[in-house]
Amino acid sequence: MALQLPFRFGSKSAETPMESRARQSKMMEYDQPLVWVTLLLMLLGMVMVYSASISLPDSPKFANYVRWQNTYFLQRQMMFIAVSMIVGLFVFRIRISDLQKAAPYLFIGTLVLLVLVLIPGIGVVVNGGRRWLSLKVFNVQPSELMKVVAVLYAADYTVRKQQVMHKLTKGFMPMAAAVGFVGLLLLLEPDLGAFGVIVCIAMGILFLGGINAVWFGGIGAVLVLIFGSIIALSKFRRERYFAYLNPWEEDNALNKAYQLTHSLIAFGRGEIFGVGLGGSVEKLHYLPEAHTDFLLAVIGEELGLAGVLVVIALFYWIIKRAFDIGRQAIAIDQTFAGLTAKGIGIWIGVQTFINMGVNLGLLPTKGLTLPLMSYGGTGVVINCIGLAILLRIDYENRVLMRGGRL
């Protein structure tokens, strides 16, 4: 019989087969690549926000910021990212089961905030839209909060109504009424873009949850009719839509399609590898909202097609990872967690697609920011909350697959 020493030397060969198998099967506790991709997008966004906003203090519109010189928006974005990371760490520690219990109350609370926005003296008006609540240090945009809350509420609703999802009156109509009320409040702000994203989130989760395919198709057609009617009945939106169809017509290029034409010029100047970081001309008061809605145009001008493709690839990776985590959660009977993960993927994917489509002239101009990258406190914080929830779902998946308890 071979003698087994009570200790082993530092070499790998001294490990027993059982120890070697245990070491090889060890699983990371969280998705490190997802964290690094998220941080990369935020840091790249911070650099591009600085580049896009460096000339803004020269404009009379931003004259109040001149005391901060050219770093005002950079400093604010750095602060937003720091706050987002702290809030994300806090949210990551919340169990998914607790989020499921809180989902209806979070939905009601966010509805109250959407109502408060519309009250004169409480809601803050910026560029003609009443979408913000002032907290002195920065403004909060409840419509952004509603996006992540809509994911949680739709996932919870689908789980609770699983047995009647194939029925129109019991399965779909209550959710439609809730989303319709949210839509009414958002259209009063007005914020058609946020309404569109929330509708896509709710419909996507209901579809994944097993809603009747016939009803789903019919409801989709009704939604197209509703959005078409909203555009047709609003002179401003109607003019913007027709300008989008022919942006280079002189009157359109100088008015409703002004942002679109200058965005396309920025992409054209960038060509394959861009004019170089900081070399954009369009950001010099030609392209409005270059640091928010049209940040991708500045990326295209300064970093070229190569830079835009890198950004698209990073967002694609996050969205794919969200669906992979959701599928994994459903496979281990965590239905709410799985639908929530996929809902986050739908949310990030739809908003990214709309923003990029607007910048590239594929969609009519709409005020939606590029997730994680565009300037703005509420947007970055809420995006990080969504991704923190996604990381928590993945963490709980790993614990359960190891046979642990939550």
mmCIF file of all heavy atoms in Angstrom, residues 146-188:
data_model
loop_
_atom_site.group_PDB
_atom_site.id
_atom_site.type_symbol
_atom_site.label_atom_id
_atom_site.label_comp_id
_atom_site.label_asym_id
_atom_site.label_seq_id
_atom_site.Cartn_x
_atom_site.Cartn_y
_atom_site.Cartn_z
ATOM 1 N N MET A 146 -39.253 54.267 -15.341
ATOM 2 C CA MET A 146 -40.361 53.396 -15.734
ATOM 3 C C MET A 146 -39.901 52.259 -16.634
ATOM 4 O O MET A 146 -40.529 51.186 -16.659
ATOM 5 C CB MET A 146 -41.458 54.230 -16.417
ATOM 6 C CG MET A 146 -42.668 53.411 -16.881
ATOM 7 S SD MET A 146 -43.423 52.392 -15.584
ATOM 8 C CE MET A 146 -44.411 53.611 -14.722
ATOM 9 N N LYS A 147 -38.817 52.446 -17.365
ATOM 10 C CA LYS A 147 -38.341 51.383 -18.261
ATOM 11 C C LYS A 147 -37.942 50.135 -17.481
ATOM 12 O O LYS A 147 -38.358 49.028 -17.802
ATOM 13 C CB LYS A 147 -37.173 51.885 -19.103
ATOM 14 C CG LYS A 147 -37.561 52.965 -20.111
ATOM 15 C CD LYS A 147 -36.348 53.577 -20.791
ATOM 16 C CE LYS A 147 -36.741 54.734 -21.686
ATOM 17 N NZ LYS A 147 -35.575 55.426 -22.282
ATOM 18 N N VAL A 148 -37.127 50.309 -16.438
ATOM 19 C CA VAL A 148 -36.694 49.150 -15.651
ATOM 20 C C VAL A 148 -37.848 48.623 -14.811
ATOM 21 O O VAL A 148 -37.984 47.408 -14.618
ATOM 22 C CB VAL A 148 -35.464 49.500 -14.782
ATOM 23 C CG1 VAL A 148 -35.791 50.481 -13.682
ATOM 24 C CG2 VAL A 148 -34.854 48.231 -14.195
ATOM 25 N N VAL A 149 -38.705 49.520 -14.312
ATOM 26 C CA VAL A 149 -39.865 49.081 -13.537
ATOM 27 C C VAL A 149 -40.839 48.313 -14.427
ATOM 28 O O VAL A 149 -41.449 47.318 -13.987
ATOM 29 C CB VAL A 149 -40.554 50.295 -12.884
ATOM 30 C CG1 VAL A 149 -41.888 49.891 -12.269
ATOM 31 C CG2 VAL A 149 -39.654 50.905 -11.816
ATOM 32 N N ALA A 150 -40.988 48.738 -15.681
ATOM 33 C CA ALA A 150 -41.865 48.027 -16.618
ATOM 34 C C ALA A 150 -41.376 46.605 -16.855
ATOM 35 O O ALA A 150 -42.182 45.672 -16.990
ATOM 36 C CB ALA A 150 -41.942 48.788 -17.943
ATOM 37 N N VAL A 151 -40.062 46.414 -16.908
ATOM 38 C CA VAL A 151 -39.500 45.063 -17.062
ATOM 39 C C VAL A 151 -39.918 44.193 -15.875
ATOM 40 O O VAL A 151 -40.413 43.062 -16.051
ATOM 41 C CB VAL A 151 -37.962 45.125 -17.162
ATOM 42 C CG1 VAL A 151 -37.371 43.716 -17.095
ATOM 43 C CG2 VAL A 151 -37.528 45.809 -18.449
ATOM 44 N N LEU A 152 -39.730 44.699 -14.655
ATOM 45 C CA LEU A 152 -40.058 43.937 -13.451
ATOM 46 C C LEU A 152 -41.550 43.666 -13.365
ATOM 47 O O LEU A 152 -41.981 42.541 -13.056
ATOM 48 C CB LEU A 152 -39.590 44.690 -12.207
ATOM 49 C CG LEU A 152 -38.081 44.912 -12.071
ATOM 50 C CD1 LEU A 152 -37.785 45.840 -10.893
ATOM 51 C CD2 LEU A 152 -37.352 43.588 -11.900
ATOM 52 N N TYR A 153 -42.376 44.687 -13.649
ATOM 53 C CA TYR A 153 -43.819 44.527 -13.529
ATOM 54 C C TYR A 153 -44.366 43.558 -14.581
ATOM 55 O O TYR A 153 -45.204 42.703 -14.269
ATOM 56 C CB TYR A 153 -44.506 45.886 -13.668
ATOM 57 C CG TYR A 153 -46.005 45.814 -13.522
ATOM 58 C CD1 TYR A 153 -46.597 45.578 -12.286
ATOM 59 C CD2 TYR A 153 -46.841 45.953 -14.636
ATOM 60 C CE1 TYR A 153 -47.972 45.493 -12.155
ATOM 61 C CE2 TYR A 153 -48.210 45.873 -14.515
ATOM 62 C CZ TYR A 153 -48.773 45.647 -13.269
ATOM 63 O OH TYR A 153 -50.131 45.560 -13.145
ATOM 64 N N ALA A 154 -43.905 43.684 -15.815
ATOM 65 C CA ALA A 154 -44.385 42.784 -16.875
ATOM 66 C C ALA A 154 -43.982 41.346 -16.597
ATOM 67 O O ALA A 154 -44.766 40.418 -16.830
ATOM 68 C CB ALA A 154 -43.841 43.242 -18.229
ATOM 69 N N ALA A 155 -42.749 41.138 -16.089
ATOM 70 C CA ALA A 155 -42.306 39.769 -15.763
ATOM 71 C C ALA A 155 -43.133 39.200 -14.621
ATOM 72 O O ALA A 155 -43.557 38.031 -14.664
ATOM 73 C CB ALA A 155 -40.825 39.785 -15.404
ATOM 74 N N ASP A 156 -43.382 40.002 -13.579
ATOM 75 C CA ASP A 156 -44.192 39.547 -12.444
ATOM 76 C C ASP A 156 -45.623 39.260 -12.887
ATOM 77 O O ASP A 156 -46.221 38.243 -12.494
ATOM 78 C CB ASP A 156 -44.174 40.615 -11.346
ATOM 79 C CG ASP A 156 -45.120 40.284 -10.206
ATOM 80 O OD1 ASP A 156 -44.932 39.227 -9.575
ATOM 81 O OD2 ASP A 156 -46.049 41.076 -9.953
ATOM 82 N N TYR A 157 -46.182 40.141 -13.713
ATOM 83 C CA TYR A 157 -47.551 39.947 -14.201
ATOM 84 C C TYR A 157 -47.660 38.650 -15.010
ATOM 85 O O TYR A 157 -48.619 37.878 -14.842
ATOM 86 C CB TYR A 157 -47.947 41.141 -15.072
ATOM 87 C CG TYR A 157 -49.330 41.025 -15.677
ATOM 88 C CD1 TYR A 157 -50.451 41.466 -14.987
ATOM 89 C CD2 TYR A 157 -49.518 40.459 -16.936
ATOM 90 C CE1 TYR A 157 -51.719 41.358 -15.529
ATOM 91 C CE2 TYR A 157 -50.775 40.339 -17.494
ATOM 92 C CZ TYR A 157 -51.873 40.790 -16.787
ATOM 93 O OH TYR A 157 -53.129 40.657 -17.325
ATOM 94 N N THR A 158 -46.690 38.408 -15.870
ATOM 95 C CA THR A 158 -46.720 37.204 -16.707
ATOM 96 C C THR A 158 -46.655 35.942 -15.860
ATOM 97 O O THR A 158 -47.347 34.953 -16.146
ATOM 98 C CB THR A 158 -45.546 37.226 -17.704
ATOM 99 O OG1 THR A 158 -45.618 38.417 -18.488
ATOM 100 C CG2 THR A 158 -45.590 36.013 -18.622
ATOM 101 N N VAL A 159 -45.843 35.948 -14.803
ATOM 102 C CA VAL A 159 -45.746 34.779 -13.920
ATOM 103 C C VAL A 159 -47.061 34.569 -13.171
ATOM 104 O O VAL A 159 -47.552 33.448 -13.060
ATOM 105 C CB VAL A 159 -44.573 34.953 -12.928
ATOM 106 C CG1 VAL A 159 -44.594 33.857 -11.867
ATOM 107 C CG2 VAL A 159 -43.245 34.937 -13.670
ATOM 108 N N ARG A 160 -47.655 35.662 -12.654
ATOM 109 C CA ARG A 160 -48.909 35.546 -11.893
ATOM 110 C C ARG A 160 -50.076 35.107 -12.773
ATOM 111 O O ARG A 160 -50.973 34.389 -12.314
ATOM 112 C CB ARG A 160 -49.236 36.889 -11.230
ATOM 113 C CG ARG A 160 -48.359 37.215 -10.033
ATOM 114 C CD ARG A 160 -48.854 38.447 -9.283
ATOM 115 N NE ARG A 160 -48.598 39.685 -9.993
ATOM 116 C CZ ARG A 160 -49.519 40.434 -10.572
ATOM 117 N NH1 ARG A 160 -50.790 40.051 -10.560
ATOM 118 N NH2 ARG A 160 -49.215 41.566 -11.201
ATOM 119 N N LYS A 161 -50.065 35.525 -14.037
ATOM 120 C CA LYS A 161 -51.187 35.244 -14.940
ATOM 121 C C LYS A 161 -50.863 34.114 -15.921
ATOM 122 O O LYS A 161 -51.513 34.011 -16.967
ATOM 123 C CB LYS A 161 -51.540 36.511 -15.727
ATOM 124 C CG LYS A 161 -51.951 37.688 -14.863
ATOM 125 C CD LYS A 161 -53.339 37.518 -14.299
ATOM 126 C CE LYS A 161 -53.798 38.767 -13.573
ATOM 127 N NZ LYS A 161 -55.190 38.649 -13.069
ATOM 128 N N GLN A 162 -49.909 33.272 -15.578
ATOM 129 C CA GLN A 162 -49.447 32.248 -16.510
ATOM 130 C C GLN A 162 -50.577 31.356 -17.016
ATOM 131 O O GLN A 162 -50.605 30.955 -18.185
ATOM 132 C CB GLN A 162 -48.374 31.384 -15.840
ATOM 133 C CG GLN A 162 -47.609 30.473 -16.791
ATOM 134 C CD GLN A 162 -46.752 31.244 -17.780
ATOM 135 O OE1 GLN A 162 -45.976 32.091 -17.394
ATOM 136 N NE2 GLN A 162 -46.899 30.959 -19.053
ATOM 137 N N GLN A 163 -51.522 31.046 -16.156
ATOM 138 C CA GLN A 163 -52.598 30.120 -16.521
ATOM 139 C C GLN A 163 -53.626 30.738 -17.470
ATOM 140 O O GLN A 163 -54.385 30.012 -18.110
ATOM 141 C CB GLN A 163 -53.306 29.623 -15.245
ATOM 142 C CG GLN A 163 -52.393 28.912 -14.260
ATOM 143 C CD GLN A 163 -51.715 27.697 -14.869
ATOM 144 O OE1 GLN A 163 -52.340 26.937 -15.627
ATOM 145 N NE2 GLN A 163 -50.441 27.499 -14.554
ATOM 146 N N VAL A 164 -53.674 32.064 -17.535
ATOM 147 C CA VAL A 164 -54.701 32.702 -18.374
ATOM 148 C C VAL A 164 -54.071 33.577 -19.458
ATOM 149 O O VAL A 164 -54.759 34.432 -20.031
ATOM 150 C CB VAL A 164 -55.658 33.552 -17.497
ATOM 151 C CG1 VAL A 164 -56.468 32.670 -16.575
ATOM 152 C CG2 VAL A 164 -54.882 34.599 -16.697
ATOM 153 N N MET A 165 -52.798 33.378 -19.750
ATOM 154 C CA MET A 165 -52.127 34.222 -20.737
ATOM 155 C C MET A 165 -52.719 34.075 -22.137
ATOM 156 O O MET A 165 -52.564 34.964 -22.970
ATOM 157 C CB MET A 165 -50.627 33.899 -20.776
ATOM 158 C CG MET A 165 -49.849 34.449 -19.589
ATOM 159 S SD MET A 165 -49.986 36.243 -19.421
ATOM 160 C CE MET A 165 -49.133 36.766 -20.893
ATOM 161 N N HIS A 166 -53.398 32.954 -22.406
ATOM 162 C CA HIS A 166 -53.973 32.745 -23.736
ATOM 163 C C HIS A 166 -55.329 33.433 -23.893
ATOM 164 O O HIS A 166 -55.910 33.431 -24.983
ATOM 165 C CB HIS A 166 -54.134 31.244 -23.999
ATOM 166 C CG HIS A 166 -55.061 30.563 -23.026
ATOM 167 N ND1 HIS A 166 -54.682 30.281 -21.714
ATOM 168 C CD2 HIS A 166 -56.336 30.131 -23.161
ATOM 169 C CE1 HIS A 166 -55.689 29.692 -21.104
ATOM 170 N NE2 HIS A 166 -56.698 29.595 -21.944
ATOM 171 N N LYS A 167 -55.847 34.018 -22.800
ATOM 172 C CA LYS A 167 -57.142 34.683 -22.850
ATOM 173 C C LYS A 167 -56.957 36.197 -22.962
ATOM 174 O O LYS A 167 -56.126 36.771 -22.279
ATOM 175 C CB LYS A 167 -57.957 34.346 -21.597
ATOM 176 C CG LYS A 167 -58.288 32.862 -21.480
ATOM 177 C CD LYS A 167 -59.121 32.591 -20.232
ATOM 178 C CE LYS A 167 -59.461 31.107 -20.135
ATOM 179 N NZ LYS A 167 -60.261 30.810 -18.923
ATOM 180 N N LEU A 168 -57.783 36.818 -23.810
ATOM 181 C CA LEU A 168 -57.639 38.247 -24.060
ATOM 182 C C LEU A 168 -58.045 39.081 -22.850
ATOM 183 O O LEU A 168 -57.305 39.964 -22.423
ATOM 184 C CB LEU A 168 -58.479 38.649 -25.275
ATOM 185 C CG LEU A 168 -58.415 40.135 -25.657
ATOM 186 C CD1 LEU A 168 -57.005 40.512 -26.089
ATOM 187 C CD2 LEU A 168 -59.420 40.441 -26.754
ATOM 188 N N THR A 169 -59.218 38.800 -22.291
ATOM 189 C CA THR A 169 -59.743 39.648 -21.216
ATOM 190 C C THR A 169 -58.972 39.483 -19.911
ATOM 191 O O THR A 169 -58.682 40.457 -19.220
ATOM 192 C CB THR A 169 -61.228 39.346 -20.979
ATOM 193 O OG1 THR A 169 -61.384 37.936 -20.743
ATOM 194 C CG2 THR A 169 -62.056 39.746 -22.187
ATOM 195 N N LYS A 170 -58.619 38.262 -19.568
ATOM 196 C CA LYS A 170 -57.940 38.018 -18.295
ATOM 197 C C LYS A 170 -56.427 38.080 -18.411
ATOM 198 O O LYS A 170 -55.746 38.441 -17.452
ATOM 199 C CB LYS A 170 -58.346 36.648 -17.740
ATOM 200 C CG LYS A 170 -59.802 36.557 -17.350
ATOM 201 C CD LYS A 170 -60.108 35.178 -16.749
ATOM 202 C CE LYS A 170 -61.574 35.085 -16.318
ATOM 203 N NZ LYS A 170 -61.876 33.754 -15.731
ATOM 204 N N GLY A 171 -55.894 37.749 -19.580
ATOM 205 C CA GLY A 171 -54.452 37.682 -19.723
ATOM 206 C C GLY A 171 -53.823 38.966 -20.220
ATOM 207 O O GLY A 171 -52.843 39.441 -19.644
ATOM 208 N N PHE A 172 -54.415 39.547 -21.262
ATOM 209 C CA PHE A 172 -53.771 40.694 -21.894
ATOM 210 C C PHE A 172 -54.333 42.048 -21.487
ATOM 211 O O PHE A 172 -53.584 43.000 -21.256
ATOM 212 C CB PHE A 172 -53.843 40.558 -23.419
ATOM 213 C CG PHE A 172 -53.285 41.750 -24.135
ATOM 214 C CD1 PHE A 172 -51.910 41.924 -24.249
ATOM 215 C CD2 PHE A 172 -54.122 42.726 -24.658
ATOM 216 C CE1 PHE A 172 -51.387 43.031 -24.894
ATOM 217 C CE2 PHE A 172 -53.606 43.834 -25.302
ATOM 218 C CZ PHE A 172 -52.236 43.985 -25.422
ATOM 219 N N MET A 173 -55.648 42.162 -21.380
ATOM 220 C CA MET A 173 -56.286 43.459 -21.194
ATOM 221 C C MET A 173 -55.817 44.212 -19.943
ATOM 222 O O MET A 173 -55.591 45.425 -19.997
ATOM 223 C CB MET A 173 -57.810 43.306 -21.199
ATOM 224 C CG MET A 173 -58.373 42.948 -22.572
ATOM 225 S SD MET A 173 -57.857 44.080 -23.882
ATOM 226 C CE MET A 173 -58.637 45.592 -23.347
ATOM 227 N N PRO A 174 -55.677 43.552 -18.775
ATOM 228 C CA PRO A 174 -55.194 44.295 -17.600
ATOM 229 C C PRO A 174 -53.809 44.910 -17.836
ATOM 230 O O PRO A 174 -53.562 46.060 -17.438
ATOM 231 C CB PRO A 174 -55.149 43.231 -16.498
ATOM 232 C CG PRO A 174 -56.154 42.216 -16.920
ATOM 233 C CD PRO A 174 -56.048 42.166 -18.417
ATOM 234 N N MET A 175 -52.909 44.158 -18.484
ATOM 235 C CA MET A 175 -51.575 44.677 -18.771
ATOM 236 C C MET A 175 -51.666 45.808 -19.795
ATOM 237 O O MET A 175 -50.958 46.822 -19.683
ATOM 238 C CB MET A 175 -50.685 43.560 -19.298
ATOM 239 C CG MET A 175 -49.228 43.957 -19.469
ATOM 240 S SD MET A 175 -48.461 44.335 -17.877
ATOM 241 C CE MET A 175 -46.894 44.980 -18.426
ATOM 242 N N ALA A 176 -52.537 45.647 -20.778
ATOM 243 C CA ALA A 176 -52.713 46.690 -21.797
ATOM 244 C C ALA A 176 -53.224 47.977 -21.170
ATOM 245 O O ALA A 176 -52.798 49.077 -21.534
ATOM 246 C CB ALA A 176 -53.674 46.207 -22.883
ATOM 247 N N ALA A 177 -54.135 47.851 -20.197
ATOM 248 C CA ALA A 177 -54.668 49.035 -19.524
ATOM 249 C C ALA A 177 -53.560 49.758 -18.748
ATOM 250 O O ALA A 177 -53.474 50.991 -18.766
ATOM 251 C CB ALA A 177 -55.804 48.634 -18.580
ATOM 252 N N ALA A 178 -52.718 48.989 -18.066
ATOM 253 C CA ALA A 178 -51.617 49.580 -17.291
ATOM 254 C C ALA A 178 -50.636 50.307 -18.210
ATOM 255 O O ALA A 178 -50.244 51.453 -17.947
ATOM 256 C CB ALA A 178 -50.900 48.496 -16.491
ATOM 257 N N VAL A 179 -50.245 49.645 -19.304
ATOM 258 C CA VAL A 179 -49.307 50.264 -20.248
ATOM 259 C C VAL A 179 -49.959 51.456 -20.940
ATOM 260 O O VAL A 179 -49.302 52.476 -21.198
ATOM 261 C CB VAL A 179 -48.824 49.218 -21.278
ATOM 262 C CG1 VAL A 179 -47.966 49.879 -22.359
ATOM 263 C CG2 VAL A 179 -48.028 48.124 -20.588
ATOM 264 N N GLY A 180 -51.262 51.361 -21.226
ATOM 265 C CA GLY A 180 -51.969 52.469 -21.852
ATOM 266 C C GLY A 180 -51.990 53.705 -20.967
ATOM 267 O O GLY A 180 -51.831 54.831 -21.453
ATOM 268 N N PHE A 181 -52.172 53.502 -19.651
ATOM 269 C CA PHE A 181 -52.165 54.636 -18.729
ATOM 270 C C PHE A 181 -50.778 55.273 -18.670
ATOM 271 O O PHE A 181 -50.643 56.506 -18.654
ATOM 272 C CB PHE A 181 -52.600 54.171 -17.342
ATOM 273 C CG PHE A 181 -52.739 55.289 -16.347
ATOM 274 C CD1 PHE A 181 -53.601 56.351 -16.583
ATOM 275 C CD2 PHE A 181 -51.999 55.286 -15.176
ATOM 276 C CE1 PHE A 181 -53.728 57.391 -15.668
ATOM 277 C CE2 PHE A 181 -52.110 56.314 -14.255
ATOM 278 C CZ PHE A 181 -52.980 57.374 -14.500
ATOM 279 N N VAL A 182 -49.738 54.428 -18.643
ATOM 280 C CA VAL A 182 -48.362 54.937 -18.689
ATOM 281 C C VAL A 182 -48.152 55.735 -19.970
ATOM 282 O O VAL A 182 -47.568 56.832 -19.958
ATOM 283 C CB VAL A 182 -47.342 53.782 -18.609
ATOM 284 C CG1 VAL A 182 -45.917 54.284 -18.870
ATOM 285 C CG2 VAL A 182 -47.403 53.110 -17.244
ATOM 286 N N GLY A 183 -48.644 55.195 -21.084
ATOM 287 C CA GLY A 183 -48.490 55.868 -22.366
ATOM 288 C C GLY A 183 -49.166 57.222 -22.391
ATOM 289 O O GLY A 183 -48.628 58.192 -22.940
ATOM 290 N N LEU A 184 -50.354 57.314 -21.782
ATOM 291 C CA LEU A 184 -51.069 58.586 -21.727
ATOM 292 C C LEU A 184 -50.251 59.641 -20.979
ATOM 293 O O LEU A 184 -50.113 60.785 -21.430
ATOM 294 C CB LEU A 184 -52.420 58.388 -21.039
ATOM 295 C CG LEU A 184 -53.262 59.662 -20.821
ATOM 296 C CD1 LEU A 184 -53.632 60.293 -22.155
ATOM 297 C CD2 LEU A 184 -54.511 59.329 -20.008
ATOM 298 N N LEU A 185 -49.675 59.246 -19.845
ATOM 299 C CA LEU A 185 -48.851 60.178 -19.067
ATOM 300 C C LEU A 185 -47.610 60.596 -19.854
ATOM 301 O O LEU A 185 -47.205 61.763 -19.821
ATOM 302 C CB LEU A 185 -48.450 59.531 -17.740
ATOM 303 C CG LEU A 185 -49.597 59.224 -16.764
ATOM 304 C CD1 LEU A 185 -49.067 58.478 -15.539
ATOM 305 C CD2 LEU A 185 -50.304 60.506 -16.338
ATOM 306 N N LEU A 186 -46.996 59.646 -20.544
ATOM 307 C CA LEU A 186 -45.791 59.955 -21.312
ATOM 308 C C LEU A 186 -46.096 60.862 -22.495
ATOM 309 O O LEU A 186 -45.292 61.739 -22.843
ATOM 310 C CB LEU A 186 -45.127 58.663 -21.790
ATOM 311 C CG LEU A 186 -44.491 57.791 -20.697
ATOM 312 C CD1 LEU A 186 -43.977 56.486 -21.283
ATOM 313 C CD2 LEU A 186 -43.343 58.539 -20.003
ATOM 314 N N LEU A 187 -47.242 60.670 -23.132
ATOM 315 C CA LEU A 187 -47.597 61.514 -24.274
ATOM 316 C C LEU A 187 -47.944 62.937 -23.841
ATOM 317 O O LEU A 187 -47.827 63.875 -24.628
ATOM 318 C CB LEU A 187 -48.776 60.900 -25.031
ATOM 319 C CG LEU A 187 -48.464 59.603 -25.796
ATOM 320 C CD1 LEU A 187 -49.725 59.039 -26.427
ATOM 321 C CD2 LEU A 187 -47.405 59.847 -26.861
ATOM 322 N N LEU A 188 -48.344 63.096 -22.590
ATOM 323 C CA LEU A 188 -48.620 64.431 -22.082
ATOM 324 C C LEU A 188 -47.341 65.203 -21.792
ATOM 325 O O LEU A 188 -47.355 66.427 -21.676
ATOM 326 C CB LEU A 188 -49.481 64.348 -20.809
ATOM 327 C CG LEU A 188 -50.929 63.879 -21.012
ATOM 328 C CD1 LEU A 188 -51.621 63.695 -19.668
ATOM 329 C CD2 LEU A 188 -51.700 64.877 -21.874
#
